[in-house]
Amino acid sequence: MAGDAKPKEDPLREIKASLDRQMRCQPYERFDKFYEGEEFADALFTELVPWGKDQTFTGLTHGTPKGAHTPHGWGVLEHHEGFMQACSVWLDGVADGPGMWASTMNGVEQCGYGTWVQGKRHGYFALVKEGGTYIEEYETGELKRRIKWRKDKLHTKCSRCGMLFVPLANTAEEKFCRYHISKPDYDGRYPCCGALHAVNPRGCATSMHVEPLPDPPKDAVDGLADATAALGLGAG
Ligand SMILES: [Zn+2]
Ligand SMILES: [Zn+2]
């Protein structure tokens, strides 16, 4: 159509679509062919290795002058005070690819999605907080602008760890809910792992996030009714 009254195109349409897709899936697939490449030939899976002050890393690591377990491949960095950064590519300890972060630090739940380049946020990120979604534009780690995008209808708050998450992306492949199995005793020590609350408040166990109110999908109920009917059950 050669009309002049074309609706104004959103210059960020593609960016928004790609960030929206990113929110709806896990930050990485650990068995992706990508990690079979030569670059990651010496990288091995390690769990909860110290990486930085009060931080642990779980994912692929290899030995470098920076440490015996330097992040290299997919993985998640977790801070004891309630911050996590899951990135699909770490190179010699530095985030360098698409990923996401989530935080409950200082009682504020927020999370974001985008791409790190040589450890710095670069290009467009989505920021989710206080029920809203924003688009942020970064240039090698420096925030250039932040604009309103949309109301957040995707995220929910985990009733166990308090992190924001997207139920669609909360699958058993990657478990980002961190918690202690038991409550701290009178010494402030967790019986589950022996850690002091002051040292590791976040937890020794991981699992999937917990949805506050699990609504059974209507389709499943209908499907069950259909199956019951097909089997001739419930017909008295
Ligand atoms: Zn959780
Ligand atoms: Zn524990």
PDB file of all heavy atoms in Angstrom, residues 162-196:
ATOM      1  N   GLY A 162      12.114 -15.037  46.576  1.00  0.00           N
ATOM      2  CA  GLY A 162      11.779 -13.637  46.366  1.00  0.00           C
ATOM      3  C   GLY A 162      12.245 -13.050  45.048  1.00  0.00           C
ATOM      4  O   GLY A 162      12.005 -11.876  44.765  1.00  0.00           O
ATOM      5  N   MET A 163      12.915 -13.855  44.213  1.00  0.00           N
ATOM      6  CA  MET A 163      13.389 -13.347  42.925  1.00  0.00           C
ATOM      7  C   MET A 163      12.219 -13.266  41.931  1.00  0.00           C
ATOM      8  O   MET A 163      11.292 -14.073  41.983  1.00  0.00           O
ATOM      9  CB  MET A 163      14.446 -14.281  42.329  1.00  0.00           C
ATOM     10  CG  MET A 163      15.772 -14.288  43.048  1.00  0.00           C
ATOM     11  SD  MET A 163      16.859 -12.982  42.447  1.00  0.00           S
ATOM     12  CE  MET A 163      18.366 -13.368  43.378  1.00  0.00           C
ATOM     13  N   LEU A 164      12.293 -12.306  41.013  1.00  0.00           N
ATOM     14  CA  LEU A 164      11.322 -12.235  39.922  1.00  0.00           C
ATOM     15  C   LEU A 164      11.681 -13.301  38.899  1.00  0.00           C
ATOM     16  O   LEU A 164      12.860 -13.534  38.632  1.00  0.00           O
ATOM     17  CB  LEU A 164      11.376 -10.862  39.258  1.00  0.00           C
ATOM     18  CG  LEU A 164      10.880  -9.669  40.060  1.00  0.00           C
ATOM     19  CD1 LEU A 164      11.102  -8.385  39.265  1.00  0.00           C
ATOM     20  CD2 LEU A 164       9.412  -9.827  40.424  1.00  0.00           C
ATOM     21  N   PHE A 165      10.687 -13.942  38.334  1.00  0.00           N
ATOM     22  CA  PHE A 165      10.947 -14.933  37.292  1.00  0.00           C
ATOM     23  C   PHE A 165       9.738 -15.035  36.370  1.00  0.00           C
ATOM     24  O   PHE A 165       8.638 -14.613  36.716  1.00  0.00           O
ATOM     25  CB  PHE A 165      11.276 -16.296  37.903  1.00  0.00           C
ATOM     26  CG  PHE A 165      10.094 -16.993  38.532  1.00  0.00           C
ATOM     27  CD1 PHE A 165       9.430 -18.016  37.854  1.00  0.00           C
ATOM     28  CD2 PHE A 165       9.631 -16.631  39.784  1.00  0.00           C
ATOM     29  CE1 PHE A 165       8.324 -18.661  38.429  1.00  0.00           C
ATOM     30  CE2 PHE A 165       8.531 -17.261  40.356  1.00  0.00           C
ATOM     31  CZ  PHE A 165       7.880 -18.278  39.677  1.00  0.00           C
ATOM     32  N   VAL A 166       9.965 -15.609  35.194  1.00  0.00           N
ATOM     33  CA  VAL A 166       8.894 -15.836  34.222  1.00  0.00           C
ATOM     34  C   VAL A 166       8.501 -17.306  34.301  1.00  0.00           C
ATOM     35  O   VAL A 166       9.328 -18.179  34.031  1.00  0.00           O
ATOM     36  CB  VAL A 166       9.364 -15.476  32.790  1.00  0.00           C
ATOM     37  CG1 VAL A 166       8.293 -15.819  31.764  1.00  0.00           C
ATOM     38  CG2 VAL A 166       9.735 -14.005  32.711  1.00  0.00           C
ATOM     39  N   PRO A 167       7.258 -17.614  34.710  1.00  0.00           N
ATOM     40  CA  PRO A 167       6.847 -19.010  34.859  1.00  0.00           C
ATOM     41  C   PRO A 167       7.149 -19.883  33.632  1.00  0.00           C
ATOM     42  O   PRO A 167       7.601 -21.015  33.771  1.00  0.00           O
ATOM     43  CB  PRO A 167       5.345 -18.908  35.133  1.00  0.00           C
ATOM     44  CG  PRO A 167       5.199 -17.588  35.821  1.00  0.00           C
ATOM     45  CD  PRO A 167       6.203 -16.675  35.157  1.00  0.00           C
ATOM     46  N   LEU A 168       6.968 -19.317  32.434  1.00  0.00           N
ATOM     47  CA  LEU A 168       7.262 -20.042  31.186  1.00  0.00           C
ATOM     48  C   LEU A 168       8.715 -20.514  31.121  1.00  0.00           C
ATOM     49  O   LEU A 168       9.022 -21.565  30.568  1.00  0.00           O
ATOM     50  CB  LEU A 168       7.081 -19.082  30.009  1.00  0.00           C
ATOM     51  CG  LEU A 168       5.765 -18.985  29.299  1.00  0.00           C
ATOM     52  CD1 LEU A 168       5.819 -17.815  28.337  1.00  0.00           C
ATOM     53  CD2 LEU A 168       5.472 -20.276  28.560  1.00  0.00           C
ATOM     54  N   ALA A 169       9.609 -19.697  31.655  1.00  0.00           N
ATOM     55  CA  ALA A 169      11.035 -19.984  31.572  1.00  0.00           C
ATOM     56  C   ALA A 169      11.545 -20.737  32.800  1.00  0.00           C
ATOM     57  O   ALA A 169      12.723 -21.034  32.914  1.00  0.00           O
ATOM     58  CB  ALA A 169      11.810 -18.681  31.408  1.00  0.00           C
ATOM     59  N   ASN A 170      10.640 -21.055  33.714  1.00  0.00           N
ATOM     60  CA  ASN A 170      11.015 -21.715  34.963  1.00  0.00           C
ATOM     61  C   ASN A 170      10.900 -23.232  34.784  1.00  0.00           C
ATOM     62  O   ASN A 170       9.967 -23.864  35.252  1.00  0.00           O
ATOM     63  CB  ASN A 170      10.077 -21.220  36.069  1.00  0.00           C
ATOM     64  CG  ASN A 170      10.442 -21.729  37.437  1.00  0.00           C
ATOM     65  OD1 ASN A 170      11.619 -21.866  37.775  1.00  0.00           O
ATOM     66  ND2 ASN A 170       9.434 -22.017  38.257  1.00  0.00           N
ATOM     67  N   THR A 171      11.871 -23.802  34.060  1.00  0.00           N
ATOM     68  CA  THR A 171      11.804 -25.226  33.749  1.00  0.00           C
ATOM     69  C   THR A 171      12.906 -25.971  34.492  1.00  0.00           C
ATOM     70  O   THR A 171      13.826 -25.358  35.039  1.00  0.00           O
ATOM     71  CB  THR A 171      11.967 -25.463  32.242  1.00  0.00           C
ATOM     72  OG1 THR A 171      13.260 -24.994  31.848  1.00  0.00           O
ATOM     73  CG2 THR A 171      10.909 -24.729  31.442  1.00  0.00           C
ATOM     74  N   ALA A 172      12.812 -27.285  34.499  1.00  0.00           N
ATOM     75  CA  ALA A 172      13.747 -28.102  35.270  1.00  0.00           C
ATOM     76  C   ALA A 172      15.161 -28.125  34.677  1.00  0.00           C
ATOM     77  O   ALA A 172      16.093 -28.556  35.330  1.00  0.00           O
ATOM     78  CB  ALA A 172      13.209 -29.521  35.397  1.00  0.00           C
ATOM     79  N   GLU A 173      15.321 -27.637  33.439  1.00  0.00           N
ATOM     80  CA  GLU A 173      16.656 -27.662  32.804  1.00  0.00           C
ATOM     81  C   GLU A 173      17.657 -26.821  33.588  1.00  0.00           C
ATOM     82  O   GLU A 173      18.798 -27.211  33.759  1.00  0.00           O
ATOM     83  CB  GLU A 173      16.597 -27.151  31.361  1.00  0.00           C
ATOM     84  CG  GLU A 173      16.179 -28.193  30.347  1.00  0.00           C
ATOM     85  CD  GLU A 173      14.682 -28.413  30.328  1.00  0.00           C
ATOM     86  OE1 GLU A 173      13.950 -27.403  30.217  1.00  0.00           O
ATOM     87  OE2 GLU A 173      14.241 -29.571  30.452  1.00  0.00           O
ATOM     88  N   GLU A 174      17.225 -25.645  34.019  1.00  0.00           N
ATOM     89  CA  GLU A 174      18.097 -24.786  34.819  1.00  0.00           C
ATOM     90  C   GLU A 174      17.298 -24.312  36.019  1.00  0.00           C
ATOM     91  O   GLU A 174      16.210 -23.780  35.858  1.00  0.00           O
ATOM     92  CB  GLU A 174      18.594 -23.571  34.006  1.00  0.00           C
ATOM     93  CG  GLU A 174      19.423 -23.937  32.789  1.00  0.00           C
ATOM     94  CD  GLU A 174      20.684 -24.710  33.136  1.00  0.00           C
ATOM     95  OE1 GLU A 174      21.206 -24.572  34.265  1.00  0.00           O
ATOM     96  OE2 GLU A 174      21.140 -25.487  32.271  1.00  0.00           O
ATOM     97  N   LYS A 175      17.862 -24.511  37.199  1.00  0.00           N
ATOM     98  CA  LYS A 175      17.139 -24.165  38.419  1.00  0.00           C
ATOM     99  C   LYS A 175      17.814 -22.992  39.117  1.00  0.00           C
ATOM    100  O   LYS A 175      18.951 -23.112  39.552  1.00  0.00           O
ATOM    101  CB  LYS A 175      17.076 -25.391  39.331  1.00  0.00           C
ATOM    102  CG  LYS A 175      16.325 -26.533  38.676  1.00  0.00           C
ATOM    103  CD  LYS A 175      16.542 -27.836  39.404  1.00  0.00           C
ATOM    104  CE  LYS A 175      15.745 -28.949  38.726  1.00  0.00           C
ATOM    105  NZ  LYS A 175      16.182 -30.268  39.168  1.00  0.00           N
ATOM    106  N   PHE A 176      17.103 -21.879  39.204  1.00  0.00           N
ATOM    107  CA  PHE A 176      17.720 -20.661  39.725  1.00  0.00           C
ATOM    108  C   PHE A 176      17.167 -20.234  41.081  1.00  0.00           C
ATOM    109  O   PHE A 176      17.446 -19.147  41.533  1.00  0.00           O
ATOM    110  CB  PHE A 176      17.567 -19.532  38.713  1.00  0.00           C
ATOM    111  CG  PHE A 176      18.360 -19.770  37.451  1.00  0.00           C
ATOM    112  CD1 PHE A 176      17.731 -19.991  36.237  1.00  0.00           C
ATOM    113  CD2 PHE A 176      19.748 -19.781  37.495  1.00  0.00           C
ATOM    114  CE1 PHE A 176      18.471 -20.204  35.078  1.00  0.00           C
ATOM    115  CE2 PHE A 176      20.498 -20.002  36.347  1.00  0.00           C
ATOM    116  CZ  PHE A 176      19.862 -20.219  35.136  1.00  0.00           C
ATOM    117  N   CYS A 177      16.371 -21.094  41.710  1.00  0.00           N
ATOM    118  CA  CYS A 177      15.870 -20.752  43.034  1.00  0.00           C
ATOM    119  C   CYS A 177      16.869 -21.274  44.062  1.00  0.00           C
ATOM    120  O   CYS A 177      17.169 -22.461  44.094  1.00  0.00           O
ATOM    121  CB  CYS A 177      14.506 -21.384  43.272  1.00  0.00           C
ATOM    122  SG  CYS A 177      13.714 -20.753  44.744  1.00  0.00           S
ATOM    123  N   ARG A 178      17.397 -20.375  44.870  1.00  0.00           N
ATOM    124  CA  ARG A 178      18.403 -20.788  45.852  1.00  0.00           C
ATOM    125  C   ARG A 178      17.854 -20.602  47.266  1.00  0.00           C
ATOM    126  O   ARG A 178      17.253 -19.583  47.571  1.00  0.00           O
ATOM    127  CB  ARG A 178      19.670 -19.947  45.650  1.00  0.00           C
ATOM    128  CG  ARG A 178      20.728 -20.185  46.710  1.00  0.00           C
ATOM    129  CD  ARG A 178      22.078 -19.742  46.259  1.00  0.00           C
ATOM    130  NE  ARG A 178      22.527 -20.546  45.129  1.00  0.00           N
ATOM    131  CZ  ARG A 178      22.923 -21.825  45.234  1.00  0.00           C
ATOM    132  NH1 ARG A 178      22.899 -22.444  46.403  1.00  0.00           N
ATOM    133  NH2 ARG A 178      23.327 -22.487  44.169  1.00  0.00           N
ATOM    134  N   TYR A 179      18.043 -21.594  48.110  1.00  0.00           N
ATOM    135  CA  TYR A 179      17.465 -21.528  49.461  1.00  0.00           C
ATOM    136  C   TYR A 179      18.161 -22.532  50.380  1.00  0.00           C
ATOM    137  O   TYR A 179      18.888 -23.421  49.917  1.00  0.00           O
ATOM    138  CB  TYR A 179      15.962 -21.832  49.402  1.00  0.00           C
ATOM    139  CG  TYR A 179      15.662 -23.216  48.882  1.00  0.00           C
ATOM    140  CD1 TYR A 179      15.339 -24.258  49.753  1.00  0.00           C
ATOM    141  CD2 TYR A 179      15.730 -23.507  47.512  1.00  0.00           C
ATOM    142  CE1 TYR A 179      15.086 -25.533  49.279  1.00  0.00           C
ATOM    143  CE2 TYR A 179      15.491 -24.776  47.027  1.00  0.00           C
ATOM    144  CZ  TYR A 179      15.171 -25.782  47.916  1.00  0.00           C
ATOM    145  OH  TYR A 179      14.935 -27.037  47.446  1.00  0.00           O
ATOM    146  N   HIS A 180      17.938 -22.396  51.683  1.00  0.00           N
ATOM    147  CA  HIS A 180      18.381 -23.399  52.650  1.00  0.00           C
ATOM    148  C   HIS A 180      17.205 -24.328  52.931  1.00  0.00           C
ATOM    149  O   HIS A 180      16.066 -23.874  53.003  1.00  0.00           O
ATOM    150  CB  HIS A 180      18.840 -22.741  53.949  1.00  0.00           C
ATOM    151  CG  HIS A 180      20.185 -22.098  53.844  1.00  0.00           C
ATOM    152  ND1 HIS A 180      21.350 -22.816  53.790  1.00  0.00           N
ATOM    153  CD2 HIS A 180      20.538 -20.795  53.771  1.00  0.00           C
ATOM    154  CE1 HIS A 180      22.377 -21.982  53.693  1.00  0.00           C
ATOM    155  NE2 HIS A 180      21.914 -20.751  53.672  1.00  0.00           N
ATOM    156  N   ILE A 181      17.517 -25.598  53.116  1.00  0.00           N
ATOM    157  CA  ILE A 181      16.469 -26.583  53.330  1.00  0.00           C
ATOM    158  C   ILE A 181      15.854 -26.417  54.726  1.00  0.00           C
ATOM    159  O   ILE A 181      14.670 -26.626  54.931  1.00  0.00           O
ATOM    160  CB  ILE A 181      17.023 -28.013  53.120  1.00  0.00           C
ATOM    161  CG1 ILE A 181      17.456 -28.157  51.650  1.00  0.00           C
ATOM    162  CG2 ILE A 181      16.010 -29.086  53.497  1.00  0.00           C
ATOM    163  CD1 ILE A 181      18.551 -29.167  51.423  1.00  0.00           C
ATOM    164  N   SER A 182      16.699 -26.021  55.694  1.00  0.00           N
ATOM    165  CA  SER A 182      16.161 -25.832  57.046  1.00  0.00           C
ATOM    166  C   SER A 182      16.380 -24.396  57.520  1.00  0.00           C
ATOM    167  O   SER A 182      17.168 -23.647  56.946  1.00  0.00           O
ATOM    168  CB  SER A 182      16.823 -26.811  58.006  1.00  0.00           C
ATOM    169  OG  SER A 182      18.212 -26.858  57.778  1.00  0.00           O
ATOM    170  N   LYS A 183      15.690 -24.035  58.569  1.00  0.00           N
ATOM    171  CA  LYS A 183      15.796 -22.690  59.156  1.00  0.00           C
ATOM    172  C   LYS A 183      17.066 -22.618  60.010  1.00  0.00           C
ATOM    173  O   LYS A 183      17.487 -23.628  60.565  1.00  0.00           O
ATOM    174  CB  LYS A 183      14.583 -22.422  60.054  1.00  0.00           C
ATOM    175  CG  LYS A 183      13.265 -22.425  59.314  1.00  0.00           C
ATOM    176  CD  LYS A 183      12.670 -21.025  59.285  1.00  0.00           C
ATOM    177  CE  LYS A 183      11.390 -20.974  58.484  1.00  0.00           C
ATOM    178  NZ  LYS A 183      11.566 -21.126  57.041  1.00  0.00           N
ATOM    179  N   PRO A 184      17.674 -21.422  60.121  1.00  0.00           N
ATOM    180  CA  PRO A 184      18.882 -21.326  60.953  1.00  0.00           C
ATOM    181  C   PRO A 184      18.564 -21.611  62.428  1.00  0.00           C
ATOM    182  O   PRO A 184      17.472 -21.284  62.895  1.00  0.00           O
ATOM    183  CB  PRO A 184      19.335 -19.876  60.757  1.00  0.00           C
ATOM    184  CG  PRO A 184      18.166 -19.138  60.228  1.00  0.00           C
ATOM    185  CD  PRO A 184      17.301 -20.130  59.529  1.00  0.00           C
ATOM    186  N   ASP A 185      19.494 -22.247  63.136  1.00  0.00           N
ATOM    187  CA  ASP A 185      19.277 -22.536  64.557  1.00  0.00           C
ATOM    188  C   ASP A 185      19.653 -21.315  65.402  1.00  0.00           C
ATOM    189  O   ASP A 185      19.943 -20.244  64.872  1.00  0.00           O
ATOM    190  CB  ASP A 185      20.049 -23.797  64.965  1.00  0.00           C
ATOM    191  CG  ASP A 185      21.550 -23.638  64.765  1.00  0.00           C
ATOM    192  OD1 ASP A 185      22.025 -22.490  64.652  1.00  0.00           O
ATOM    193  OD2 ASP A 185      22.242 -24.676  64.716  1.00  0.00           O
ATOM    194  N   TYR A 186      19.676 -21.501  66.727  1.00  0.00           N
ATOM    195  CA  TYR A 186      19.896 -20.357  67.617  1.00  0.00           C
ATOM    196  C   TYR A 186      21.258 -19.696  67.430  1.00  0.00           C
ATOM    197  O   TYR A 186      21.466 -18.556  67.780  1.00  0.00           O
ATOM    198  CB  TYR A 186      19.681 -20.775  69.079  1.00  0.00           C
ATOM    199  CG  TYR A 186      20.579 -21.910  69.523  1.00  0.00           C
ATOM    200  CD1 TYR A 186      21.811 -21.638  70.126  1.00  0.00           C
ATOM    201  CD2 TYR A 186      20.204 -23.236  69.332  1.00  0.00           C
ATOM    202  CE1 TYR A 186      22.650 -22.682  70.504  1.00  0.00           C
ATOM    203  CE2 TYR A 186      21.029 -24.274  69.705  1.00  0.00           C
ATOM    204  CZ  TYR A 186      22.243 -23.988  70.288  1.00  0.00           C
ATOM    205  OH  TYR A 186      23.079 -25.014  70.652  1.00  0.00           O
ATOM    206  N   ASP A 187      22.214 -20.425  66.857  1.00  0.00           N
ATOM    207  CA  ASP A 187      23.541 -19.859  66.588  1.00  0.00           C
ATOM    208  C   ASP A 187      23.576 -19.107  65.261  1.00  0.00           C
ATOM    209  O   ASP A 187      24.620 -18.576  64.878  1.00  0.00           O
ATOM    210  CB  ASP A 187      24.588 -20.984  66.492  1.00  0.00           C
ATOM    211  CG  ASP A 187      25.023 -21.461  67.853  1.00  0.00           C
ATOM    212  OD1 ASP A 187      24.877 -20.682  68.816  1.00  0.00           O
ATOM    213  OD2 ASP A 187      25.509 -22.604  67.949  1.00  0.00           O
ATOM    214  N   GLY A 188      22.470 -19.112  64.548  1.00  0.00           N
ATOM    215  CA  GLY A 188      22.462 -18.500  63.226  1.00  0.00           C
ATOM    216  C   GLY A 188      23.107 -19.398  62.198  1.00  0.00           C
ATOM    217  O   GLY A 188      23.576 -18.954  61.154  1.00  0.00           O
ATOM    218  N   ARG A 189      23.110 -20.705  62.510  1.00  0.00           N
ATOM    219  CA  ARG A 189      23.731 -21.659  61.599  1.00  0.00           C
ATOM    220  C   ARG A 189      22.653 -22.569  60.993  1.00  0.00           C
ATOM    221  O   ARG A 189      21.728 -22.980  61.681  1.00  0.00           O
ATOM    222  CB  ARG A 189      24.750 -22.506  62.386  1.00  0.00           C
ATOM    223  CG  ARG A 189      25.765 -23.227  61.515  1.00  0.00           C
ATOM    224  CD  ARG A 189      26.791 -23.962  62.357  1.00  0.00           C
ATOM    225  NE  ARG A 189      27.846 -23.129  62.922  1.00  0.00           N
ATOM    226  CZ  ARG A 189      28.882 -22.648  62.238  1.00  0.00           C
ATOM    227  NH1 ARG A 189      29.004 -22.905  60.966  1.00  0.00           N
ATOM    228  NH2 ARG A 189      29.795 -21.902  62.820  1.00  0.00           N
ATOM    229  N   TYR A 190      22.766 -22.831  59.685  1.00  0.00           N
ATOM    230  CA  TYR A 190      21.777 -23.690  59.030  1.00  0.00           C
ATOM    231  C   TYR A 190      22.137 -25.159  59.234  1.00  0.00           C
ATOM    232  O   TYR A 190      23.223 -25.590  58.841  1.00  0.00           O
ATOM    233  CB  TYR A 190      21.723 -23.397  57.528  1.00  0.00           C
ATOM    234  CG  TYR A 190      21.173 -22.040  57.206  1.00  0.00           C
ATOM    235  CD1 TYR A 190      22.032 -20.982  56.935  1.00  0.00           C
ATOM    236  CD2 TYR A 190      19.794 -21.805  57.185  1.00  0.00           C
ATOM    237  CE1 TYR A 190      21.528 -19.716  56.633  1.00  0.00           C
ATOM    238  CE2 TYR A 190      19.294 -20.547  56.891  1.00  0.00           C
ATOM    239  CZ  TYR A 190      20.165 -19.507  56.614  1.00  0.00           C
ATOM    240  OH  TYR A 190      19.667 -18.263  56.333  1.00  0.00           O
ATOM    241  N   PRO A 191      21.233 -25.933  59.828  1.00  0.00           N
ATOM    242  CA  PRO A 191      21.524 -27.366  60.023  1.00  0.00           C
ATOM    243  C   PRO A 191      21.726 -28.117  58.699  1.00  0.00           C
ATOM    244  O   PRO A 191      22.473 -29.085  58.656  1.00  0.00           O
ATOM    245  CB  PRO A 191      20.283 -27.890  60.742  1.00  0.00           C
ATOM    246  CG  PRO A 191      19.602 -26.693  61.295  1.00  0.00           C
ATOM    247  CD  PRO A 191      19.939 -25.552  60.396  1.00  0.00           C
ATOM    248  N   CYS A 192      21.112 -27.649  57.614  1.00  0.00           N
ATOM    249  CA  CYS A 192      21.199 -28.368  56.333  1.00  0.00           C
ATOM    250  C   CYS A 192      22.635 -28.459  55.818  1.00  0.00           C
ATOM    251  O   CYS A 192      23.040 -29.482  55.266  1.00  0.00           O
ATOM    252  CB  CYS A 192      20.303 -27.719  55.288  1.00  0.00           C
ATOM    253  SG  CYS A 192      20.352 -25.923  55.233  1.00  0.00           S
ATOM    254  N   CYS A 193      23.399 -27.388  55.978  1.00  0.00           N
ATOM    255  CA  CYS A 193      24.738 -27.372  55.380  1.00  0.00           C
ATOM    256  C   CYS A 193      25.810 -26.910  56.353  1.00  0.00           C
ATOM    257  O   CYS A 193      27.008 -26.982  56.047  1.00  0.00           O
ATOM    258  CB  CYS A 193      24.737 -26.466  54.156  1.00  0.00           C
ATOM    259  SG  CYS A 193      24.200 -24.794  54.543  1.00  0.00           S
ATOM    260  N   GLY A 194      25.408 -26.423  57.516  1.00  0.00           N
ATOM    261  CA  GLY A 194      26.389 -25.959  58.490  1.00  0.00           C
ATOM    262  C   GLY A 194      26.870 -24.538  58.266  1.00  0.00           C
ATOM    263  O   GLY A 194      27.709 -24.032  59.000  1.00  0.00           O
ATOM    264  N   ALA A 195      26.324 -23.867  57.230  1.00  0.00           N
ATOM    265  CA  ALA A 195      26.763 -22.493  56.951  1.00  0.00           C
ATOM    266  C   ALA A 195      26.127 -21.518  57.935  1.00  0.00           C
ATOM    267  O   ALA A 195      25.009 -21.723  58.402  1.00  0.00           O
ATOM    268  CB  ALA A 195      26.395 -22.104  55.524  1.00  0.00           C
ATOM    269  N   LEU A 196      26.864 -20.461  58.229  1.00  0.00           N
ATOM    270  CA  LEU A 196      26.307 -19.396  59.066  1.00  0.00           C
ATOM    271  C   LEU A 196      25.445 -18.484  58.200  1.00  0.00           C
ATOM    272  O   LEU A 196      25.794 -18.193  57.057  1.00  0.00           O
ATOM    273  CB  LEU A 196      27.443 -18.571  59.673  1.00  0.00           C
ATOM    274  CG  LEU A 196      28.126 -19.173  60.902  1.00  0.00           C
ATOM    275  CD1 LEU A 196      29.418 -18.421  61.204  1.00  0.00           C
ATOM    276  CD2 LEU A 196      27.191 -19.150  62.106  1.00  0.00           C
TER     277      LEU A 196
END
